[in-house]
Amino acid sequence: MVHYLYLVRHGEQVDAEHGLPDGPLSGRGIRQAEAIAERLGGVPFTAAWTSPLQRAQETARIMTERMPAIEPEPTALLMDCIPAGPTPDMPHAFEPFYGSVTPEEIAAGEAQMADAVAEWMRPSRDDRHELLITHNFVISWFVREAFGAPTWRWMGLNQAHCGLTIIRVRSAKPPVLVTHNDLGHLPAELRTGLPENQPF
C-alpha cells in the first residue's frame, strides 16, 4: 500500500518580523499558498490536516479551495512547538536556542510530537495521501523521525514558507524522505522564511 505525507509550512504571516505570535497571511503569503495549491492540485488526497493557528488555517483554506474533495481539519498535534529539549550529545552551539525555553514548553512539545508521529507515521492498510499544513519545527521533527536521527537533529533543519516536504511511510522498511523543502513551485520573490543568519 502507498502512504505519503505531504508536509507544507504555512505561508508568510503579516508583520511576522515584529514578533506577533499569530496573524493572517501577508499578500505574499497568499500567493505562496496559491502556488503550492496549484503544485499539488493533481494529488489524490485522502485527508488534509492543519495547525489551528491562523496563518496555517488560512494557508489550508486557500489550498483546499482548489481541492474540493477534501476539507482541512484543525488539530493541536500540528501546533507550533519545541519538539524536544537539549540532550548530552547535542553540540554546544545549539545551547543558546534554549535560553528562553521553559521545561514546560519542552515537555508539551515532546508529548505533542510523540502523538503526531504515532498518528501519521504509521503504515496504512489503504493507499493514503495526507496533507499536513503546519510549522517549521514540526516538519523538522518529522524529517528527523524519518531518518531515525538523534533527537537534537531537528535543529538546523529549516523549511521556507509553503515549501514542500514529502515522506513515504512503509510497513516493513524505514520511512523514505522523498523530497525536502522543495521550492520549485515558488518564484524567487516568493521564497521566504529561511533564516538569513541561522543560530544553529
Side-chain angles (χ1 to χ4, degrees):
M1 295 300 171
V2 175
H3 183 195
Y4 285 99
L5 298 179
Y6 299 75
L7 298 145
V8 174
R9 186 183 178 190
H10 60 80
E12 181 187 74
Q13 175 187 329
V14 168
D15 290 331
E17 67 272 16
H18 299 305
L20 295 177
D22 196 20
L25 296 182
S26 66
R28 188 158 52 182
I30 292 170
R31 291 172 60 201
Q32 291 165 341
E34 291 171 344
I36 186 70
E38 184 172 346
R39 167 80 180 271
L40 296 177
V43 177
F45 286 114
T46 47
W49 309 86
T50 178
S51 160
L53 293 181
Q54 183 179 0
R55 58 191 184 271
Q57 289 209 63
E58 287 194 7
T59 303
R61 178 183 52 77
I62 291 168
M63 292 183 66
T64 56
E65 279 176 351
R66 302 187 181 202
M67 306 170 186
I70 57 171
E71 182 73 23
E73 183 174 337
T75 171
L77 294 181
L78 296 178
M79 279 282 289
D80 203 4
C81 71
I82 305 297
T87 56
D89 61 333
M90 184 186 77
H92 294 300
F94 292 80
E95 291 174 359
F97 172 82
Y98 288 101
S100 61
V101 178
T102 66
E104 291 76 17
E105 288 175 312
I106 292 171
E110 289 175 341
Q112 174 187 322
M113 293 316 301
D115 289 345
V117 166
E119 177 68 26
W120 286 293
M121 291 198 67
R122 66 181 191 278
S124 174
R125 296 181 180 180
D126 305 309
D127 287 354
R128 296 191 64 77
H129 294 264
E130 297 183 290
L131 175 61
L132 278 58
I133 297 135
T134 182
H135 304 274
N136 190 28
F137 292 169
V138 173
I139 297 172
S140 296
W141 186 261
F142 274 103
V143 173
R144 183 220 62 81
E145 183 72 23
F147 285 121
T151 56
W152 61 268
R153 287 301 291 132
W154 69 273
M155 304 177 78
L157 288 169
N158 287 286
Q159 287 68 223
H161 293 124
C162 288
L164 174 62
T165 295
I166 303 174
I167 296 173
R168 182 181 178 188
V169 181
R170 302 186 293 179
S171 57
K173 298 179 181 180
V176 173
L177 182 65
V178 177
T179 188
H180 174 247
N181 195 37
D182 186 339
L183 306 180
H185 51 286
L186 296 174
E189 68 272 14
L190 294 185
R191 297 182 180 186
T192 63
L194 293 174
E196 295 180 5
N197 298 302
Q198 295 187 30
F200 306 130

